[in-house]
Amino acid sequence: MSEVIAKSKAAKEAATVLNTLTTTQKNEALLLMADALTSEQNRLLAANAEDIERGRAQGTSESLLDRLKLTPQRLAAIADAVREIVELPDPVGEVIAAFDRPNGLSIEQRRVPLGVIGIIYEARPNVTVDAASLCLKTGNAVVLRGGSAALSSNRSIVAVLREALSRSAIPEDALQLIEDSDRKSVDEMLKLNGLLDVIIPRGGASLIQNVVQNATVPVIETGAGICHTYVDESGEYAMAEAIALNAKVQRPSVCNSMETLILHETFARKHFAALADKFREADVALKGCDLARVLVPSIESASAEDYATEYNDYILNVKIVKDLDEALIHIRRFGTQHSECIVTENSANAERFLQEVDAAAVYHNASTRFTDGFEFGFGAEIGISTQKLHSRGPMGLPALTSTKYRIVGSGQIRT
Amino acid sequence: MSEVIAKSKAAKEAATVLNTLTTTQKNEALLLMADALTSEQNRLLAANAEDIERGRAQGTSESLLDRLKLTPQRLAAIADAVREIVELPDPVGEVIAAFDRPNGLSIEQRRVPLGVIGIIYEARPNVTVDAASLCLKTGNAVVLRGGSAALSSNRSIVAVLREALSRSAIPEDALQLIEDSDRKSVDEMLKLNGLLDVIIPRGGASLIQNVVQNATVPVIETGAGICHTYVDESGEYAMAEAIALNAKVQRPSVCNSMETLILHETFARKHFAALADKFREADVALKGCDLARVLVPSIESASAEDYATEYNDYILNVKIVKDLDEALIHIRRFGTQHSECIVTENSANAERFLQEVDAAAVYHNASTRFTDGFEFGFGAEIGISTQKLHSRGPMGLPALTSTKYRIVGSGQIRT
């Protein structure tokens, strides 16, 4: 039996125990996990140092090594994040609907754990702790498959967390790490219907596409974001400038940052030159449509491919349109249904934008950067879903649950 | 451009219009559809006669031909089902959550249509009308791919419905039928990410497995049901007999009927012989475990394969267990997480069963046959989901929706 199958079977067995635990029992286990991350700090840092050393020897960039690196401060922050998950309300057991039927049947719909969740992710070892905590809090067993660059760190983290679980009501087998770094172990997970209930990919576009294209297990797709900000004719300049700059440069590397700024022609003729200066001061390289280049000749030309690119970088496309309709058409063609914003003082146009744009989050006069579990007040998030089924947008704990109908009768039969 | 791509693109375009319509506009369109099914009755019956004739020439069984056949009465019933969908509340636009953040952002989560739904199904032409009405009512465009046996009927039904839509606010392109009966048209639909938002298969196990195994578009899995009834030591005989017979014979061909009866040994020693007589009177062939065959020697032996078979027929496995734990293990091994029942007077055992059995619907003292949208009071259903993501159990109209966050600000940026 392969590592993937053996560990997934063990996880499934453990899930049946997890399903019977109380919120208190689960929280106690999470607190033991948090404590272990600091009390076993030296072991974890030593394992992490192996990853860093191996990465440096293989020529990994310093910025990637920095994402991989653990420090006492970072470990403390990771442990604190677990303690924050303890404080969140447990969705499991929540009665979503309860009703009686004319034949006397009493029907309740309750939240239940999904069962066993597979997480496929890349380098950062904090995801290991984060995903494990969110899954266990919601009564799910979890099978983690992290990137090989962090293998020593992940192995050590999971060992420490499992030791903590062994002193709790949660079976240690509820937390599994696939150590086989061959790509085949991912392929195997993707087809493990019957053992894994869902797979959540966390990482770059190619990781996510591999999962979406090849999984037969249901997937929650997260990640890709080509987000637009559209400044309407009536948009206030100061507000538009603040929102557009924030959406682009506050953290360009994340999915809710802006890739294309769409300007109404009237607004652009008045303000684009000034706005372009602001972006230049912020080190953002601009690419634009023909009219944008007439107004600001120094910028490069933007191709259809540029409009379809998630830069995650200090690069911005500028598209000038003659009206809201043209903006909506551009967004429909190039958007990834993540986060889209209109800056306008025209409430009819705002309502049309909010209604007609098909995206997880649509904004009127606020930065797309707010699409985030913490910013929405959900606490920790497992990711931002860019699909329409199950959960859309920032996923809090309820996204890690399913439901079950409980029907209580007194001998009813169907006639 | 293939038929599948051309029609899916047209459906996606139409979905943007559907998304802006009011409930009244959608209901008016549905009523025109219902009326057209009776006013165009002769056209529909003539087309259906072609299917029946072709089927008979190809040696199709009379029972399948009966499922395919339309009559004036059946058409009237199908039209009435559309009118019942008109009466159901429209979930689209429902505000699921609304909250303000400390920074002044106002966030609303609203139900929105999924977009474009692909339905892949088999012979019965009533599914054509049913699926179209449910999708359009919830603001979704729909691409139908029915079985070739019903092609003439489906073509004629869709033509009549599209004519009705042409007199309504819903664009006719919101309803598409794929006429290409080559299997490749199904394969093409399964990979149509970006044009189809979800695929719902309706039909037998092989149709559903093909979709689940090969789709890259998100799927809502429906259908397979290996359902159990467990009679505990304290189960009342009269109730157990009524529930078990109902679950098996009231309609054996459907997914919520029982395939295996599990009896506590004490109950079995007292009552299995009498119960076996009742099943024999109802023309049900019994297969049993060793102990069952000791108690009623005339029955055949049940293999592991039998326990894993969805008979959908007058055949029943009988498994005798020594306690609830053994029953739970059997259900975990062979159940398909559809509908499971315990008959008991012991409330602790009932609670354990309801809590621990992992299924869409768990019953205490009632027949599994109640797992059904009408019986739950949801009105028409698009199917019974046997997956855990998005929707589980009978799917009413809300299962055909997604959600969208609408965030209204006054210039907020993230710091």
Side-chain angles (χ1 to χ4, degrees), chain B residues 11 80 168 198:
Chain B
D80 279 343
S168 83
V198 56

Side-chain angles (χ1 to χ4, degrees), chain A residues 34 37-38 73-86:
Chain A
L37 290 170
T38 43
Q73 292 71 29
R74 286 183 180 184
L75 273 176
I78 292 171
D80 280 343
V82 177
R83 293 187 187 100
E84 280 171 26
I85 292 170
V86 170

